[in-house]
Amino acid sequence: VIKQLIKEFISFSFILTKSKRKNYNMALLKSIPSELFDMMKKLHIIVLVVALIVFFIAGFTAAISVVLGAMCVTLGIIFSAPIAYKAKGTVAASKVVTDALKGELVKILTIVVSLAGIFIFITAIVPIFIILGLAIAAIFSGIAISKVDSK
């Protein structure tokens, strides 16, 4: 089994030509709407500006903590968007709402697991600044998603 996995990995990674690799786009990122990519670009710019301000006020560790807190929300968005937007264009409202709720559940679980991982495995963090980064990212992503044009 391990030999087969290694063989498939090598053939996928190294033997395929560049033109064939284009056919293997990541399904996860492909299903995310372009509006979310635009929102995430703006979100990361704001988080980096806040991290820069925090760097000059409280130091490097606090700035990294802000970025780590925001990355928890970003991971949640990346993992939940394909689920939440699976029924996009579907006529049945119940299907749209069900997929949106499933996406929110995945987003919340991803944020909780990534925050737990940060608090367990990274000791040099400033918790209040992780919460600041998390709050900025969550508020901004909520505002940006609510302003998405539904046409």
Side-chain angles (χ1 to χ4, degrees), residues 49-75:
V49 168
V50 170
L52 190 63
I53 292 168
V54 167
F55 173 73
F56 288 116
I57 295 172
F60 181 73
T61 306
I64 293 298
S65 297
V66 169
V67 173
L68 286 174
M71 288 300 123
C72 293
V73 174
T74 302
L75 282 175

Side-chain angles (χ1 to χ4, degrees), residues 22 115 126 140:
K22 289 180 183 177
L115 277 175
V126 184
F140 185 76

